Amino acid sequence: MDTILHRNRSILLEIMGKKKTQCKIERVVLEKMKFRFKYHTHQNINSRGKIYHYVYDFAWMEFSSDEVLVVRKPLNF
């Protein structure tokens, strides 16, 4: 399982690069990169009831059925 978590994080890092703090990406792109949505380190529900799934210092939220919002967790979180 740890290998899958690290792979998921690597995929998100590749998408985000070193400078982006958030971006939207098509779900199919993540699936083609072999991102495994079932594997995450923890989750959080925001004030609007949206679920963020975390992989270490990155999180994703299903923005729509086709798009995923990826965010980098702030250092002061």
Side-chain angles (χ1 to χ4, degrees):
M1 183 165 125
D2 195 48
T3 304
I4 297 169
L5 290 172
H6 283 282
R7 180 179 171 87
N8 275 357
R9 186 192 180 279
S10 294
I11 291 168
L12 296 179
L13 179 60
E14 183 179 338
I15 290 166
M16 296 288 285
K18 295 192 181 220
K19 298 195 180 201
K20 286 185 194 173
T21 57
Q22 70 177 25
C23 72
K24 285 184 196 171
I25 188 165
E26 292 182 22
R27 183 181 179 94
V28 70
V29 173
L30 287 171
E31 290 169 349
K32 284 181 182 176
M33 296 175 81
K34 307 243 187 281
F35 187 84
R36 309 251 324 252
F37 286 92
K38 287 194 235 178
Y39 293 87
H40 55 275
T41 55
H42 60 289
Q43 64 185 25
N44 184 33
I45 301 173
N46 71 7
S47 60
R48 295 182 180 182
K50 300 286 187 178
I51 301 173
Y52 282 88
H53 301 277
Y54 286 84
V55 176
Y56 305 111
D57 55 335
F58 290 97
W60 76 90
M61 176 191 70
E62 296 187 37
F63 190 71
S64 70
S65 60
D66 298 328
E67 285 187 311
V68 175
L69 175 67
V70 179
V71 296
R72 187 184 311 263
K73 185 166 73 170
L75 294 174
N76 61 356
F77 183 73

Coordinates of all heavy atoms in Angstrom, one line a residue:
M1 N 0.8 -1.2 0.0 CA 0.0 0.0 0.0 C 0.9 1.3 0.0 O 0.5 2.2 -0.7 CB -0.9 0.0 1.2 CG -1.9 1.2 1.2 SD -3.2 1.0 2.4 CE -3.0 2.4 3.3
D2 N 2.0 1.3 0.8 CA 2.8 2.4 0.8 C 3.4 2.8 -0.6 O 3.5 3.9 -0.9 CB 4.0 2.2 1.8 CG 4.7 3.5 2.2 OD1 4.0 4.4 2.5 OD2 5.9 3.5 2.2
T3 N 3.7 1.8 -1.4 CA 4.2 2.0 -2.7 C 3.1 2.7 -3.6 O 3.5 3.6 -4.3 CB 4.5 0.6 -3.4 OG1 5.5 0.0 -2.6 CG2 5.1 0.8 -4.8
I4 N 1.9 2.3 -3.4 CA 0.8 3.0 -4.2 C 0.6 4.4 -3.7 O 0.5 5.3 -4.6 CB -0.5 2.2 -4.0 CG1 -0.4 0.8 -4.6 CG2 -1.7 2.9 -4.7 CD1 -1.5 -0.1 -4.3
L5 N 0.7 4.7 -2.4 CA 0.6 6.0 -1.9 C 1.7 6.9 -2.5 O 1.5 8.1 -2.9 CB 0.6 6.1 -0.4 CG -0.6 5.5 0.3 CD1 -0.3 5.4 1.8 CD2 -1.8 6.3 0.0
H6 N 2.9 6.4 -2.5 CA 4.1 7.2 -3.0 C 3.9 7.4 -4.5 O 4.3 8.5 -5.0 CB 5.4 6.5 -2.7 CG 5.8 6.7 -1.2 ND1 6.4 7.9 -0.8 CD2 5.7 5.9 -0.2 CE1 6.6 7.8 0.5 NE2 6.2 6.6 0.9
R7 N 3.4 6.4 -5.2 CA 3.2 6.6 -6.7 C 2.1 7.7 -6.9 O 2.3 8.5 -7.8 CB 2.8 5.3 -7.3 CG 2.5 5.4 -8.8 CD 2.1 4.0 -9.4 NE 1.7 4.2 -10.7 CZ 2.5 4.2 -11.8 NH1 3.8 4.0 -11.6 NH2 2.0 4.3 -13.0
N8 N 1.0 7.6 -6.1 CA 0.0 8.7 -6.3 C 0.6 10.0 -6.0 O 0.3 11.0 -6.7 CB -1.2 8.4 -5.3 CG -2.2 7.4 -5.8 OD1 -2.1 7.0 -7.0 ND2 -3.2 7.1 -5.0
R9 N 1.4 10.2 -5.0 CA 2.0 11.5 -4.7 C 2.9 11.9 -5.8 O 2.9 13.1 -6.2 CB 2.8 11.4 -3.4 CG 3.3 12.8 -3.0 CD 4.4 12.8 -1.9 NE 4.8 14.1 -1.6 CZ 5.7 14.8 -2.3 NH1 6.3 14.2 -3.4 NH2 6.1 16.0 -1.9
S10 N 3.7 11.0 -6.4 CA 4.5 11.3 -7.5 C 3.8 11.8 -8.7 O 4.2 12.8 -9.4 CB 5.4 10.1 -7.9 OG 6.3 9.8 -6.9
I11 N 2.6 11.2 -8.9 CA 1.8 11.6 -10.1 C 1.2 13.1 -9.8 O 1.3 13.9 -10.7 CB 0.6 10.6 -10.3 CG1 1.1 9.3 -10.8 CG2 -0.5 11.2 -11.2 CD1 0.1 8.2 -10.7
L12 N 0.8 13.3 -8.6 CA 0.3 14.7 -8.3 C 1.4 15.7 -8.4 O 1.2 16.8 -8.8 CB -0.4 14.7 -6.9 CG -1.6 13.8 -6.8 CD1 -2.2 13.9 -5.3 CD2 -2.7 14.2 -7.8
L13 N 2.6 15.3 -7.9 CA 3.7 16.3 -8.0 C 4.1 16.5 -9.4 O 4.4 17.7 -9.8 CB 5.0 15.7 -7.3 CG 6.2 16.5 -7.3 CD1 6.0 17.9 -6.7 CD2 7.4 15.7 -6.6
E14 N 4.0 15.5 -10.3 CA 4.3 15.7 -11.7 C 3.3 16.7 -12.3 O 3.7 17.6 -13.1 CB 4.2 14.4 -12.4 CG 4.6 14.4 -13.9 CD 4.5 13.1 -14.6 OE1 4.6 12.0 -13.9 OE2 4.3 13.1 -15.8
I15 N 2.0 16.6 -11.9 CA 1.0 17.5 -12.5 C 1.2 18.9 -11.9 O 1.1 19.8 -12.7 CB -0.4 16.9 -12.0 CG1 -0.7 15.7 -12.8 CG2 -1.5 18.0 -12.3 CD1 -1.9 14.9 -12.2
M16 N 1.5 19.0 -10.7 CA 1.5 20.3 -10.0 C 2.9 21.1 -10.2 O 2.9 22.3 -10.2 CB 1.3 20.2 -8.5 CG -0.1 19.7 -8.2 SD -1.3 20.9 -8.4 CE -1.0 22.0 -7.0
G17 N 3.9 20.3 -10.4 CA 5.2 21.0 -10.5 C 5.6 21.5 -9.1 O 5.0 21.1 -8.1
K18 N 6.6 22.3 -9.1 CA 7.1 22.9 -7.8 C 6.5 24.2 -7.4 O 6.6 24.5 -6.2 CB 8.6 23.0 -7.9 CG 9.3 21.7 -8.1 CD 10.8 21.8 -7.8 CE 11.4 20.5 -8.1 NZ 12.4 20.2 -7.2
K19 N 5.8 24.8 -8.3 CA 5.3 26.2 -8.0 C 3.8 26.3 -7.9 O 3.3 27.1 -7.1 CB 5.8 27.2 -9.0 CG 7.3 27.2 -9.0 CD 7.8 28.4 -9.7 CE 9.3 28.4 -9.6 NZ 9.9 29.7 -9.8
K20 N 3.0 25.4 -8.6 CA 1.5 25.6 -8.5 C 1.0 25.2 -7.1 O 1.5 24.3 -6.5 CB 0.9 24.6 -9.5 CG 1.0 25.0 -11.0 CD 0.2 24.0 -11.8 CE 0.6 24.2 -13.3 NZ -0.1 23.1 -14.0
T21 N 0.0 25.9 -6.7 CA -0.7 25.5 -5.5 C -2.0 24.8 -5.7 O -2.5 24.1 -4.8 CB -1.0 26.8 -4.6 OG1 -1.8 27.7 -5.4 CG2 0.3 27.4 -4.2
Q22 N -2.6 24.9 -6.9 CA -3.8 24.2 -7.3 C -4.0 24.2 -8.8 O -3.5 25.0 -9.5 CB -5.0 24.7 -6.6 CG -5.5 26.1 -7.0 CD -6.8 26.5 -6.3 OE1 -7.1 26.0 -5.2 NE2 -7.6 27.3 -6.9
C23 N -4.7 23.1 -9.2 CA -5.0 23.1 -10.6 C -6.2 22.1 -10.8 O -6.4 21.2 -10.0 CB -3.9 22.7 -11.5 SG -3.3 21.0 -11.4
K24 N -6.9 22.3 -11.9 CA -8.0 21.3 -12.3 C -7.4 20.4 -13.4 O -6.7 20.9 -14.3 CB -9.2 22.0 -12.8 CG -10.0 22.7 -11.7 CD -11.3 23.3 -12.3 CE -11.9 24.2 -11.4 NZ -13.0 25.0 -12.0
I25 N -7.8 19.1 -13.3 CA -7.3 18.2 -14.3 C -8.4 17.2 -14.6 O -9.3 17.0 -13.7 CB -6.0 17.5 -13.8 CG1 -5.5 16.6 -15.0 CG2 -6.3 16.7 -12.6 CD1 -4.1 16.2 -14.7
E26 N -8.5 16.8 -15.8 CA -9.5 15.8 -16.2 C -9.2 14.5 -15.5 O -8.1 14.0 -15.4 CB -9.6 15.6 -17.7 CG -10.1 16.8 -18.4 CD -10.1 16.6 -19.9 OE1 -10.2 15.4 -20.4 OE2 -10.1 17.6 -20.6
R27 N -10.3 13.9 -15.0 CA -10.2 12.6 -14.2 C -9.5 11.5 -15.1 O -8.7 10.7 -14.7 CB -11.5 12.1 -13.8 CG -11.5 10.9 -13.0 CD -12.9 10.4 -12.5 NE -12.8 9.2 -11.8 CZ -12.8 9.1 -10.5 NH1 -12.8 10.3 -9.8 NH2 -12.7 8.0 -9.9
V28 N -9.8 11.5 -16.4 CA -9.3 10.5 -17.3 C -7.8 10.6 -17.4 O -7.1 9.6 -17.6 CB -10.0 10.6 -18.7 CG1 -9.7 11.8 -19.4 CG2 -9.7 9.3 -19.5
V29 N -7.2 11.8 -17.3 CA -5.8 12.0 -17.4 C -5.1 11.3 -16.2 O -4.1 10.6 -16.3 CB -5.4 13.5 -17.4 CG1 -3.9 13.7 -17.3 CG2 -5.9 14.1 -18.7
L30 N -5.7 11.5 -15.0 CA -5.2 10.8 -13.8 C -5.3 9.3 -14.0 O -4.3 8.6 -13.6 CB -5.9 11.3 -12.6 CG -5.6 12.7 -12.1 CD1 -6.5 13.1 -11.0 CD2 -4.1 12.8 -11.6
E31 N -6.4 8.9 -14.5 CA -6.6 7.4 -14.6 C -5.5 6.8 -15.6 O -5.0 5.8 -15.4 CB -8.0 7.1 -15.1 CG -9.0 7.4 -14.0 CD -10.5 7.3 -14.5 OE1 -10.7 7.3 -15.7 OE2 -11.4 7.3 -13.7
K32 N -5.2 7.6 -16.7 CA -4.3 7.1 -17.7 C -2.9 7.1 -17.1 O -2.0 6.3 -17.5 CB -4.2 8.0 -18.9 CG -5.4 7.8 -19.8 CD -5.4 8.6 -21.0 CE -6.6 8.4 -21.9 NZ -6.6 9.3 -23.1
M33 N -2.6 7.9 -16.1 CA -1.3 7.9 -15.4 C -1.3 6.9 -14.3 O -0.3 6.8 -13.6 CB -1.0 9.3 -14.8 CG -0.9 10.4 -15.9 SD -0.7 12.0 -15.1 CE 1.0 12.0 -14.7
K34 N -2.3 6.1 -14.2 CA -2.4 5.0 -13.2 C -2.6 5.5 -11.8 O -2.1 4.9 -10.8 CB -1.3 4.0 -13.3 CG -1.1 3.5 -14.7 CD -1.3 2.0 -14.8 CE -0.9 1.5 -16.1 NZ -1.8 1.6 -17.2
F35 N -3.2 6.7 -11.6 CA -3.5 7.2 -10.3 C -4.6 6.3 -9.7 O -5.6 6.0 -10.3 CB -4.0 8.7 -10.4 CG -4.2 9.3 -9.0 CD1 -3.1 9.9 -8.4 CD2 -5.4 9.4 -8.5 CE1 -3.3 10.5 -7.2 CE2 -5.6 10.0 -7.2 CZ -4.5 10.6 -6.6
R36 N -4.5 5.9 -8.4 CA -5.4 5.0 -7.8 C -6.2 5.9 -6.7 O -5.7 6.2 -5.7 CB -4.7 3.9 -7.1 CG -3.8 3.2 -8.1 CD -4.1 1.8 -8.6 NE -4.7 0.9 -7.8 CZ -4.2 -0.2 -7.2 NH1 -2.9 -0.5 -7.4 NH2 -4.9 -1.1 -6.5
F37 N -7.4 6.2 -7.1 CA -8.3 7.1 -6.3 C -8.6 6.5 -4.9 O -8.9 7.2 -4.0 CB -9.5 7.5 -7.0 CG -9.3 8.5 -8.1 CD1 -9.1 8.0 -9.4 CD2 -9.3 9.8 -7.9 CE1 -8.8 8.9 -10.4 CE2 -9.1 10.7 -8.9 CZ -8.9 10.3 -10.2
K38 N -8.6 5.2 -4.8 CA -9.0 4.6 -3.5 C -7.9 4.7 -2.4 O -8.2 4.5 -1.3 CB -9.2 3.1 -3.7 CG -10.5 2.7 -4.4 CD -10.8 1.3 -4.3 CE -11.0 0.6 -5.6 NZ -11.2 -0.8 -5.5
Y39 N -6.7 5.1 -2.8 CA -5.6 5.1 -1.9 C -5.2 6.5 -1.5 O -4.9 7.3 -2.3 CB -4.4 4.4 -2.5 CG -4.6 2.9 -2.6 CD1 -5.2 2.4 -3.8 CD2 -4.2 2.1 -1.6 CE1 -5.4 1.0 -3.9 CE2 -4.5 0.7 -1.7 CZ -5.0 0.2 -2.9 OH -5.3 -1.1 -3.0
H40 N -5.4 6.8 -0.2 CA -5.0 8.2 0.3 C -4.6 8.0 1.8 O -5.0 7.0 2.4 CB -6.2 9.1 0.1 CG -7.5 8.7 0.7 ND1 -8.4 7.9 0.1 CD2 -8.1 8.9 1.9 CE1 -9.4 7.6 0.8 NE2 -9.2 8.2 2.0
T41 N -4.0 9.0 2.3 CA -3.5 8.9 3.7 C -4.6 9.4 4.7 O -4.6 8.9 5.8 CB -2.2 9.8 3.9 OG1 -2.5 11.1 3.5 CG2 -1.1 9.2 3.1
H42 N -5.4 10.4 4.3 CA -6.5 10.8 5.2 C -7.4 11.7 4.3 O -7.2 11.9 3.2 CB -5.9 11.6 6.4 CG -5.1 12.8 6.1 ND1 -3.9 12.8 5.6 CD2 -5.4 14.1 6.3 CE1 -3.4 14.0 5.4 NE2 -4.4 14.9 5.8
Q43 N -8.5 12.1 4.9 CA -9.4 13.0 4.2 C -10.0 14.1 5.2 O -9.9 13.9 6.4 CB -10.6 12.2 3.6 CG -11.5 11.5 4.6 CD -12.5 10.6 3.9 OE1 -12.3 10.2 2.8 NE2 -13.6 10.3 4.5
N44 N -10.5 15.1 4.6 CA -11.1 16.2 5.3 C -12.3 16.7 4.6 O -12.3 16.8 3.4 CB -10.0 17.3 5.4 CG -10.5 18.5 6.3 OD1 -11.2 18.3 7.2 ND2 -10.0 19.7 5.9
I45 N -13.3 17.1 5.4 CA -14.5 17.7 4.8 C -14.5 19.2 5.1 O -14.4 19.6 6.3 CB -15.8 17.0 5.4 CG1 -15.8 15.5 5.1 CG2 -17.1 17.7 4.9 CD1 -16.9 14.7 5.8
N46 N -14.6 20.0 4.1 CA -14.6 21.4 4.3 C -15.9 21.9 4.7 O -16.9 21.2 4.9 CB -14.0 22.2 3.1 CG -15.0 22.2 1.9 OD1 -16.1 21.8 2.0 ND2 -14.5 22.7 0.7
S47 N -16.0 23.2 4.9 CA -17.3 23.9 5.4 C -18.4 23.7 4.5 O -19.6 23.9 4.9 CB -17.0 25.3 5.8 OG -16.6 26.0 4.6
R48 N -18.1 23.5 3.2 CA -19.2 23.3 2.2 C -19.6 21.9 2.0 O -20.4 21.5 1.1 CB -18.8 23.9 0.9 CG -18.6 25.4 0.9 CD -18.2 25.9 -0.4 NE -18.0 27.4 -0.3 CZ -17.7 28.1 -1.4 NH1 -17.5 27.6 -2.6 NH2 -17.5 29.4 -1.2
G49 N -19.0 21.0 2.8 CA -19.3 19.6 2.7 C -18.6 18.8 1.6 O -18.9 17.6 1.3
K50 N -17.5 19.4 1.0 CA -16.7 18.8 0.0 C -15.6 18.0 0.7 O -15.0 18.4 1.6 CB -16.1 19.8 -1.0 CG -17.1 20.6 -1.7 CD -17.8 19.9 -2.8 CE -18.7 20.8 -3.6 NZ -19.3 20.1 -4.7
I51 N -15.4 16.8 0.1 CA -14.4 15.9 0.7 C -13.1 16.0 0.0 O -13.0 15.9 -1.3 CB -14.8 14.4 0.7 CG1 -16.1 14.2 1.4 CG2 -13.7 13.5 1.2 CD1 -16.7 12.9 1.3
Y52 N -12.0 16.4 0.7 CA -10.7 16.4 0.2 C -10.0 15.1 0.6 O -9.9 14.8 1.8 CB -9.9 17.6 0.7 CG -10.2 18.9 0.1 CD1 -11.3 19.7 0.5 CD2 -9.5 19.3 -1.0 CE1 -11.6 20.9 -0.1 CE2 -9.8 20.5 -1.7 CZ -10.8 21.3 -1.2 OH -11.1 22.5 -1.8
H53 N -9.4 14.4 -0.3 CA -8.6 13.2 -0.1 C -7.2 13.6 -0.2 O -6.7 14.2 -1.1 CB -8.9 12.1 -1.1 CG -10.4 11.7 -1.1 ND1 -10.9 10.8 -0.2 CD2 -11.4 12.1 -1.9 CE1 -12.2 10.7 -0.5 NE2 -12.5 11.5 -1.5
Y54 N -6.4 13.2 0.9 CA -5.0 13.6 0.9 C -4.0 12.4 0.6 O -4.3 11.3 1.0 CB -4.6 14.1 2.3 CG -5.2 15.5 2.6 CD1 -6.5 15.7 3.0 CD2 -4.4 16.6 2.4 CE1 -7.0 16.9 3.2 CE2 -4.9 17.9 2.6 CZ -6.2 18.0 3.0 OH -6.8 19.3 3.2
V55 N -2.9 12.8 0.0 CA -1.8 11.9 -0.1 C -0.6 12.7 0.3 O -0.1 13.6 -0.4 CB -1.6 11.4 -1.6 CG1 -0.3 10.5 -1.7 CG2 -2.7 10.6 -2.1
Y56 N -0.3 12.6 1.6 CA 0.8 13.3 2.2 C 0.5 14.8 2.1 O -0.4 15.3 2.7 CB 2.2 12.9 1.7 CG 2.4 11.4 1.8 CD1 2.5 10.6 0.7 CD2 2.6 10.8 3.1 CE1 2.7 9.2 0.8 CE2 2.8 9.5 3.2 CZ 2.8 8.7 2.1 OH 3.0 7.3 2.2
D57 N 1.3 15.5 1.3 CA 1.1 17.0 1.2 C 0.3 17.5 0.0 O 0.3 18.7 -0.3 CB 2.5 17.7 1.2 CG 3.4 17.1 0.1 OD1 3.2 16.0 -0.3 OD2 4.3 17.9 -0.3
F58 N -0.4 16.6 -0.6 CA -1.3 16.9 -1.7 C -2.7 16.5 -1.4 O -2.9 15.5 -0.7 CB -0.8 16.3 -3.1 CG 0.4 16.9 -3.6 CD1 1.6 16.3 -3.4 CD2 0.4 18.1 -4.3 CE1 2.8 16.8 -3.9 CE2 1.6 18.6 -4.9 CZ 2.8 18.0 -4.6
A59 N -3.7 17.1 -2.0 CA -5.1 16.7 -1.8 C -5.8 16.8 -3.1 O -5.4 17.6 -4.0 CB -5.8 17.6 -0.8
W60 N -6.8 16.1 -3.3 CA -7.7 16.2 -4.4 C -9.1 16.1 -4.0 O -9.5 15.5 -3.0 CB -7.4 15.2 -5.5 CG -7.9 13.8 -5.2 CD1 -9.1 13.3 -5.6 CD2 -7.2 12.8 -4.5 NE1 -9.2 12.0 -5.2 CE2 -8.1 11.6 -4.5 CE3 -6.0 12.7 -3.9 CZ2 -7.7 10.5 -3.9 CZ3 -5.7 11.5 -3.3 CH2 -6.5 10.4 -3.2
M61 N -10.0 16.8 -4.8 CA -11.4 16.8 -4.6 C -12.1 16.6 -6.0 O -11.6 17.2 -6.9 CB -11.9 18.2 -4.0 CG -13.4 18.3 -3.9 SD -13.9 19.9 -3.5 CE -13.6 20.8 -5.0
E62 N -13.0 15.7 -6.0 CA -13.7 15.5 -7.3 C -14.6 16.8 -7.5 O -15.6 17.0 -6.8 CB -14.5 14.2 -7.2 CG -13.6 13.1 -7.1 CD -14.2 11.7 -7.2 OE1 -15.2 11.6 -8.0 OE2 -13.8 10.8 -6.5
F63 N -14.2 17.6 -8.4 CA -14.8 18.9 -8.7 C -16.1 18.6 -9.5 O -17.1 19.3 -9.3 CB -13.9 19.7 -9.5 CG -14.3 21.1 -9.7 CD1 -14.3 22.0 -8.6 CD2 -14.7 21.6 -10.9 CE1 -14.7 23.3 -8.8 CE2 -15.1 22.9 -11.1 CZ -15.1 23.8 -10.0
S64 N -16.1 17.7 -10.4 CA -17.3 17.3 -11.2 C -17.1 15.8 -11.5 O -16.1 15.3 -11.1 CB -17.5 18.2 -12.4 OG -16.5 17.9 -13.4
S65 N -18.0 15.3 -12.3 CA -17.8 13.9 -12.7 C -16.6 13.7 -13.6 O -16.0 12.6 -13.8 CB -19.0 13.3 -13.3 OG -19.4 14.1 -14.5
D66 N -16.2 14.8 -14.3 CA -15.1 14.7 -15.2 C -13.8 15.4 -14.8 O -12.7 15.1 -15.3 CB -15.5 15.4 -16.6 CG -16.6 14.6 -17.2 OD1 -16.7 13.4 -17.1 OD2 -17.4 15.3 -17.9
E67 N -13.9 16.3 -13.8 CA -12.7 17.1 -13.4 C -12.4 16.8 -11.9 O -13.2 16.6 -11.1 CB -12.9 18.6 -13.6 CG -12.9 19.0 -15.0 CD -12.9 20.5 -15.1 OE1 -13.8 21.1 -14.5 OE2 -12.1 21.1 -15.8
V68 N -11.1 16.9 -11.6 CA -10.6 16.8 -10.3 C -9.8 18.1 -9.9 O -9.0 18.5 -10.8 CB -9.7 15.5 -10.2 CG1 -9.0 15.4 -8.8 CG2 -10.5 14.3 -10.5
L69 N -10.0 18.6 -8.8 CA -9.2 19.7 -8.3 C -8.1 19.2 -7.4 O -8.3 18.4 -6.5 CB -10.1 20.7 -7.5 CG -9.3 21.9 -6.8 CD1 -8.8 22.8 -7.9 CD2 -10.2 22.6 -5.8
V70 N -6.8 19.5 -7.8 CA -5.7 19.1 -7.0 C -5.1 20.3 -6.3 O -4.9 21.4 -6.9 CB -4.6 18.4 -8.0 CG1 -3.4 18.0 -7.2 CG2 -5.2 17.3 -8.7
V71 N -4.8 20.2 -5.0 CA -4.2 21.3 -4.3 C -3.0 20.8 -3.5 O -2.9 19.6 -3.1 CB -5.2 21.9 -3.3 CG1 -6.4 22.6 -4.1 CG2 -5.7 20.9 -2.3
R72 N -2.1 21.7 -3.3 CA -0.9 21.4 -2.4 C -1.3 21.9 -1.0 O -1.7 23.1 -0.8 CB 0.3 22.2 -2.9 CG 1.6 21.9 -2.2 CD 2.7 22.7 -2.7 NE 2.8 22.7 -4.2 CZ 3.6 21.9 -4.9 NH1 4.4 21.0 -4.3 NH2 3.7 22.0 -6.2
K73 N -1.1 21.1 0.0 CA -1.4 21.5 1.4 C -0.4 22.6 1.8 O 0.8 22.5 1.6 CB -1.3 20.3 2.3 CG -1.7 20.5 3.7 CD -1.9 19.3 4.5 CE -0.6 18.6 4.8 NZ -0.7 17.5 5.8
P74 N -1.0 23.7 2.4 CA -0.1 24.8 2.8 C 0.8 24.3 4.0 O 0.5 23.4 4.7 CB -1.0 25.9 3.3 CG -2.4 25.2 3.4 CD -2.3 24.0 2.6
L75 N 2.0 24.9 4.1 CA 2.9 24.5 5.1 C 2.4 24.7 6.5 O 2.8 24.0 7.4 CB 4.3 25.2 4.9 CG 5.0 24.9 3.6 CD1 6.2 25.8 3.5 CD2 5.5 23.5 3.6
N76 N 1.6 25.7 6.7 CA 1.1 26.0 8.0 C -0.2 25.3 8.4 O -1.0 25.7 9.3 CB 0.9 27.5 8.2 CG -0.1 28.1 7.2 OD1 -0.6 27.4 6.3 ND2 -0.4 29.4 7.3
F77 N -0.6 24.3 7.6 CA -1.8 23.5 7.8 C -1.8 22.7 9.1 O -0.9 22.1 9.5 CB -2.1 22.6 6.6 CG -3.4 21.9 6.6 CD1 -4.6 22.5 6.4 CD2 -3.4 20.5 6.9 CE1 -5.8 21.9 6.4 CE2 -4.6 19.9 7.0 CZ -5.8 20.5 6.7

